[in-house]
Amino acid sequence: MPVEIKSSERVDTLKVSGFKVIQEEKRFCFGIDAVLLSDFVSTGRNEKICDLGTGTGIIPFLLAAKNQSLKIDALEIQTESCDMAKRSVCLNKLEDRINIVEGDIKTACRYFEKNTYDVVTSNPPYMIAGHGEGNGNDEKTIARHEVLCTLDDVVRSSSELLKSQGRFYMIHKPFRLAEIISVMMKYKLEPKRMRLCYPYVDKEPTMVLIEGVKCAKSQIKIEPPLIVYEKSGGYTKEVQEIYSR
């Protein structure tokens, strides 16, 4: 049966895999942060993955392209985004590999079994509720601001889903780094690897990639900085390689 594409939607093709993702301009479309996060994630053969706040499913699709043995569950609270993600799964014939569920991050364990996942990923809302919000309940505001869930909700639910020594991966804003580390340690996700992402070599970082391991010993590796753009405005060689991967 053909997959429905609504008149307000577009279909974007991921160059590296050929997977197609249904999106809609008025909603939150994926950007470079999802691409950088999926590249930062390390997965093994036949591992069980959960993506919290999946939007239209971009991270599951990128991870599925990167490792064909993965089984991926994904959770999204916004009905329309969840519907687009489900139709994208059908469009790519990935029903046996990716499972999209509509639900709330705060109660993720209602939908998925506790202590069973090897990896949990999240590209959560970055901004504290009330900071520069437009319409408090529109789709883009919900994606960008902590309207429906907080950093604490994301990290707590991730820890509950992960098995011991399971890995948590997140991309967030550096200005909240102290809070991020504090909340991760509160829920026994020991920060193990971190990388700061800079728009230009002479600018302050605008994103941070972080990996935590559940119930691990204390030791963190700070990776070399990732510079996104050359002075000319084009992507750096490393970012071009990330996209090609």
Side-chain angles (χ1 to χ4, degrees):
M1 182 181 295
V3 175
E4 179 188 10
I5 308 296
K6 299 175 183 178
S7 60
S8 59
E9 297 172 344
R10 69 173 196 249
V11 178
D12 295 329
T13 301
L14 305 179
K15 294 180 182 179
V16 70
S17 63
F19 290 157
K20 300 180 184 300
V21 181
I22 300 169
Q23 300 198 97
E24 188 175 353
E25 277 295 340
K26 74 174 185 178
R27 304 185 189 282
F28 191 80
C29 297
F30 78 85
I32 191 173
D33 46 359
V35 176
L36 297 181
L37 177 59
S38 64
D39 186 73
F40 186 72
V41 173
S42 175
T43 61
R45 184 166 179 77
N46 297 319
E47 287 195 314
K48 187 177 177 183
I49 315 294
C50 188
D51 183 47
L52 296 181
T54 199
T56 54
I58 180 60
I59 291 174
F61 291 123
L62 291 170
L63 293 178
K66 183 176 174 181
N67 184 336
Q68 296 183 13
S69 72
L70 300 178
K71 296 291 185 180
I72 306 171
D73 291 323
L75 189 65
E76 173 55 43
I77 196 169
Q78 297 196 62
T79 299
E80 294 81 2
S81 295
C82 188
D83 176 62
M84 283 188 280
K86 288 180 177 180
R87 283 185 283 125
S88 293
V89 169
C90 296
L91 189 64
N92 293 292
K93 297 179 171 58
L94 292 171
E95 295 93 333
D96 61 334
R97 297 175 59 196
I98 298 176
N99 172 44
I100 307 290
V101 174
E102 183 177 349
D104 192 339
I105 284 175
K106 295 193 294 292
T107 55
C109 290
R110 289 185 183 178
Y111 317 100
F112 308 125
E113 190 176 355
K114 281 186 176 183
N115 305 316
T116 60
Y117 288 87
D118 300 289
V119 171
V120 173
T121 60
S122 187
N123 180 7
Y126 297 147
M127 308 304 292
I128 299 167
H131 284 197
E133 289 180 21
N135 180 351
N137 288 308
D138 69 32
E139 294 86 352
K140 290 185 177 180
T141 298
I142 288 170
R144 291 169 174 154
H145 295 77
E146 293 184 343
V147 175
L148 300 181
C149 70
T150 65
L151 175 64
D152 192 280
D153 295 326
V154 172
V155 177
R156 174 183 51 77
S157 289
S158 298
S159 182
E160 289 173 350
L161 293 170
L162 285 167
K163 60 177 66 171
S164 180
Q165 301 301 306
R167 305 181 304 285
F168 169 67
Y169 296 92
M170 182 173 67
I171 187 166
H172 216 291
K173 289 293 185 182
F175 77 87
R176 298 187 68 183
L177 186 54
E179 180 188 4
I180 289 166
I181 292 174
S182 176
V183 174
M184 286 177 64
M185 295 182 70
K186 173 182 174 183
Y187 292 109
K188 298 182 179 180
L189 295 179
E190 186 67 35
K192 301 296 285 185
R193 189 161 63 100
M194 185 178 77
R195 191 174 196 191
L196 288 164
C197 307
Y198 297 74
Y200 294 92
V201 69
D202 57 348
K203 300 294 184 182
E204 292 186 358
T206 55
M207 293 179 284
V208 60
L209 294 157
I210 193 159
E211 175 192 57
V213 177
K214 186 174 178 180
C215 300
K217 294 181 179 179
S218 178
Q219 184 176 16
I220 186 169
K221 176 183 178 182
I222 308 299
E223 297 192 346
L226 174 60
I227 313 300
V228 176
Y229 297 106
E230 300 283 4
K231 289 185 177 181
S232 63
Y235 285 139
T236 60
K237 182 179 179 181
E238 182 173 10
V239 172
Q240 291 179 40
E241 290 173 350
I242 287 171
Y243 270 95
S244 71
R245 289 199 288 268

